[in-house]
Amino acid sequence: MAEQTAAPAPASTANAPTELWVERTGTRRYTGRSSRGAEVLIGSEGVEGVFTPGELLKIALAACTGMSTDFPLSNRLGENYDVRIRVAGAADRENEVYPQLDEVVELDLSELDEAARERLLVTVQRAIDKVCTVGRTLQTGTKVTLSFDIDA
């Protein structure tokens, strides 16, 4: 088997897509990397200090929801508003899928009257529906391809 090394980061350009990859670091342990220098530890559920791939999927959904709502919420609540987005969903291990993911946006809107809260929540939902790429992908599905680049 070929020696595994980190892929070289491409020259930084404004339009270059971010390269993403994982490298095996042990039994059922990987490090996810990006050409922008980010890292995330990935592994099995029983391994301390790592995210499972399914947890990363859920976090990606919650983060996308948060980022999609950032402008409408900060415009109405100010730059320093607090929000927590919880996401959960049990895996169907027989079929190896997450049949449902449930998000809960925890947000203090007590300073707004009921009509203002309702208008803001409609605006926030529209923003999520329009620009949350992860949520839109999960809802509509996507084609995934796999190929192998091997040394023989």
Side-chain angles (χ1 to χ4, degrees):
M1 186 164 141
E3 182 179 321
Q4 296 177 351
T5 59
S12 178
T13 63
N15 294 330
T18 300
E19 283 191 46
L20 303 171
W21 68 95
V22 297
E23 296 174 345
R24 185 173 189 268
T25 58
T27 302
R28 297 187 51 81
R29 289 185 64 107
Y30 288 79
T31 298
R33 301 184 191 280
S34 84
S35 58
R36 293 192 331 268
E39 293 184 350
V40 63
L41 302 178
I42 308 162
S44 296
E45 194 170 305
V47 178
E48 280 299 311
V50 301
F51 290 105
T52 68
E55 290 167 341
L56 288 173
L57 174 76
K58 294 173 193 177
I59 287 172
L61 176 61
C64 190
T65 294
M67 292 173 70
S68 298
T69 64
D70 202 58
F71 288 133
L73 289 175
S74 64
N75 285 341
R76 185 63 177 95
L77 303 175
E79 275 298 310
N80 296 319
Y81 73 94
D82 292 322
V83 66
R84 173 182 286 180
I85 301 153
R86 291 185 290 114
V87 60
D92 170 354
R93 289 298 174 206
E94 185 175 315
N95 296 300
E96 290 299 333
V97 297
Y98 292 96
Q100 180 171 329
L101 297 176
D102 300 307
E103 289 184 283
V104 177
V105 178
E106 297 175 355
L107 187 62
D108 181 0
L109 298 180
S110 61
E111 293 184 14
L112 303 178
D113 63 39
E114 188 174 334
R117 277 195 303 269
E118 192 60 35
R119 282 192 307 274
L120 180 58
L121 292 176
V122 166
T123 300
V124 164
Q125 183 66 59
R126 283 185 186 147
I128 294 166
D129 292 344
K130 183 176 180 182
V131 299
C132 181
T133 305
V134 175
R136 292 169 57 91
T137 298
L138 290 170
Q139 289 173 352
T140 62
T142 192
K143 180 181 177 181
V144 177
T145 64
L146 174 67
S147 62
F148 294 89
D149 182 1
I150 60 172
D151 293 334

